[in-house]
Amino acid sequence: MEPCVIRASGIGKNVPTAEGRLVILDGIELEINAAESLAIVGASGSGKTTLLGILAGLDLPSAGTVCLAGREITALDEEQRARVRGEHVGFVFQTFQLLASLTALENVMLPAELRGDDDASESALELLRQVGLGERTGHYPRQLSGGEQQRVAIARAFASRPTVLFADEPTGNLDTGTGARIIELLFELNEAFATTLVLVTHDDRLAKRCGRVIELEAGRIRR
Amino acid sequence: MNLRLASRMAWRDWRSGELGLLLAALLVAIGTVTAISLFVDRLHQALLLESANFLAADRYIGGSRPIPDEFRRVARARGLDAADVLSFPSMVFAGDERNQLVAVKAVSEDYPLRGTLITGMEPFARGAPVDDVPAPGEIWIDSRLFPSLGLSLGDTVEVGMASLKVTRVLVKEPDRGGSFFDLGPRLLMNLIDVPATQVVQPGSRIGYRLLLRGPDAELEALREELGVEPDFRWVSIRESSPRIGAALDRAESFLLLGGLLAVLLAGVAVALSAHRYSRRHYDHVGILKTLGAGPAGILYGYLGILGVIGAISVALGLAAGGGLHLLVIEALDSLIPVELPLPSIRPFALGAATGLICALAFAMPPLVHLKNISPMRVIRRDLGAPPVSEWLTYGTAAAGSLTLLIWYSGSLMLTLWTLLGALTVLSVFGALAWLLLRGGRAIGMQAGSFLRLALSGLQRRHRENIAQILIFGLAIMLLLVLVLLRTALIDEWRSALPEDVPNHFLMNVTPDQLAPVNALLDRKTERQGPLYPMIRGRVVAVNDEDAQAIGPRRRRVRGFPRSATSRGRRRCLKTTSWWRGHGGARTTTGHWCPWRMSMRGNWALALATGWHSTSAAGPCRLRSPACAGLNGKASSRTSSSSFPRRH
Ligand SMILES: Nc1ncnc2c1ncn2[C@@H]1O[C@H](COP(=O)(O)OP(=O)(O)OP(=O)(O)O)[C@@H](O)[C@H]1O
Ligand SMILES: [Mg+2]
């Protein structure tokens, strides 16, 4: 595996608004190596989420290029970017984003099902056990607490054996204690799967656990 | 996404109740259309069959000359079944002193092509269906001929020059018809014996019919090919019995309209639930996309779900429609006097196609739209969905409705009018809803905080709210139209008959019975008008114009009597004085005038007077002072009277 998993150069993002062009990101240069963990911090509105979306190939920048796992995703069409996401990217969100109509197990099985794997349930079960929810597989998200939902989301994120795991404020909706346990789990699995971790956070403890921290200010990297 | 995943997702959505509404809407659409068209189809078939029984055929070619062999040959070549019927009045003699005028019907082996003959072995008893006709040398006769001729089964009577043996009692034949002149007692014989009777001679009054049976398309093609007019008449149930034809048409259009409205409503319901389903899946799609699903996968996945739901709802909807139509039949049991034949495949095809088109035209656009949802939605909640293509939504909905409506009604005009009505209602309701919401804002300014909150909630989503008001408005309008139409139709049917229209008739009163019968009627009934003689005549000229030439216009001049005994007869004739001789007519020399003589001269004059004198009142509606030449013969010397209907 080549050392550099993500290489972003000259990333700019601006959107048209009623008051003219709003510059959200400007001249971002970033390289992230395999198995590295990176925290993106910054004030609210500094462009963290926007940057994460661009790095993960969910969104396209207005300028610049992004390479992810050896593919220049900024040059791909939506269909191809989706394929790259399916193969290399896992997500954990602040609001969990489980499908409400699916049980915990089915949520974890989803990435494999989308890939067309047949025996999705075995490894999904194993993952649920790893996050400590082996007994709750048949429960729906609404029957689970916030922390439990986030654990299911983490299991789902690792279910696709991603190269990079992106997390946008994974503890933002949880109390301190639960958040701490989620952080433990995240890093544990990250280690076990040798995944590259990119996370956005306001949480200092979480940021400190990461190998590297960058701070955004008004769309630019401060350090 | 493959079909297996799609069905798995469909199952999960169904489990969580999200697909229920869509499925229900599709089910209602398919079920209603299937039920209505099943019912219409079976009723239609039954009525056609019933009316075919009435003709003893699907169509017939009739005329007063022998049917050319050419007709038979061409009909056979088209694979149509044909049978010959000859009818004529004749005297029959039993022994030396007994005789009676009868209506003879001579038929070929295949008669009747529709309906059945009912015969018995004993006069005035119930008979049983038979599927043959009198063998050569044999006849079957009406019950009342037995006493009047003093006959019993096995006796021989003379018809013209032939001696024929009475072997059965004729109880009923399908095409007995309501014509007054067929009401003489019936004698049924084999066509083969006709030459022996020597009745068929130049000048004798004989009706020839070639009965036909076969598929509609072939029959119509035959009609085109032969061009039987003007020497012969081509008769289907609509020509032979305009009342039944018209009732059939009305009943059909009513049910059809009901079906149309059901289709529109169902389409609206499907569109609504699909939109709701789609809105609830924006987040789903966002998540699926972050997990690696591309737009194509999303598209196929949701189309797959729609396909699965469509297939299930078609299967269930057809079954439900079948059940529902049985309930309808059960409920209307007392109103449907006929045995309904098995349905054709068409209602089921129609139901399935309705489901398909509803799914494609109404449910697909919002689901197709799902593929455009951005995966960024998952991390940026403020990111709304890109707007649904209105062109796609309304375009397909309009195209879908149009296809369904046209196919269903088979009539472009009816479809366009229905759509126009729906559009008008939509714009009126739209304007009203808009005003209401705007007015609400003004009121909200002064209202209490709770009401203001509610009103501002309404306004914030005003587009959606207006749409909902519109849809409910449309639905209510459609239902109202249906109710209104139903009432109007029934009223129209009722009012088609005048208040005191007679529903009982007394016939075959002989001249010497006139006085006592008149006295009896005056005492016991509220009858209107005197007894009048029954004659049969043909209009040969109107205002010196040849009646043949105005023939094609006959339908337009409503009430124009084709023969003196047709519609409007009672009023036409009752004020005239030309039968003062009480059922007979005396010539100027005072002689009894036998009906067989030509009736130009006095007769024509008298009839003309009669029509002229009542034309102002309308029933005959001969617009100019009419002079009609009459040329005809009476078939029996009888009079008749009619009684008003009692309510
Ligand atoms: N599509 C868009 N249209 C308009 N403004 C946008 C768009 N995307 C982002 N922005 C704006 O760009 C700025 C950065 O947004 P972003 O969500 O990246 O901030 P953030 O650093 O994640 O903030 P927070 O810590 O509150 O999550 C915000 O002011 C946001 O309103
Ligand atoms: Mg953010």
Side-chain angles (χ1 to χ4, degrees), chain A residues 49-50 52-53 58-59 78-79 82-83 85-86 89 91 93 95 97-103 106 109-111 113-114 118 140 156 168, chain B residues 1-2 4-5 8 12-13 15-16 18 283-284 287-297 371 373-381:
Chain A
T49 299
T50 309
L52 191 78
L58 296 179
D59 201 3
E78 212 199 322
E79 203 66 58
R83 204 167 310 133
R85 280 199 298 273
V89 177
F91 289 97
F93 306 103
T95 48
Q97 302 289 3
L98 299 177
L99 295 188
S101 55
L102 272 55
T103 62
E106 286 164 351
M109 281 160 60
L110 205 52
E113 283 182 339
L114 285 173
D118 274 340
Y140 289 94
R156 180 179 68 183
D168 191 8
Chain B
M1 249 191 257
N2 54 23
R4 244 184 70 215
L5 183 56
R8 206 176 300 163
R12 289 167 184 167
D13 277 346
R15 197 179 51 188
S16 64
E18 292 184 40
D283 286 343
H284 260 62
I287 296 168
L288 289 176
K289 281 196 168 178
T290 64
L291 294 179
K371 77 177 195 318
I373 300 294
S374 163
M376 274 304 277
R377 200 186 147 80
V378 177
I379 43 178
R380 290 194 44 93
R381 298 316 313 273

Side-chain angles (χ1 to χ4, degrees), chain B residues 242-252 493:
Chain B
R243 277 271 178 73
I244 295 183
L248 206 77
D249 281 346
R250 280 208 202 116
E252 267 179 49
W493 274 325

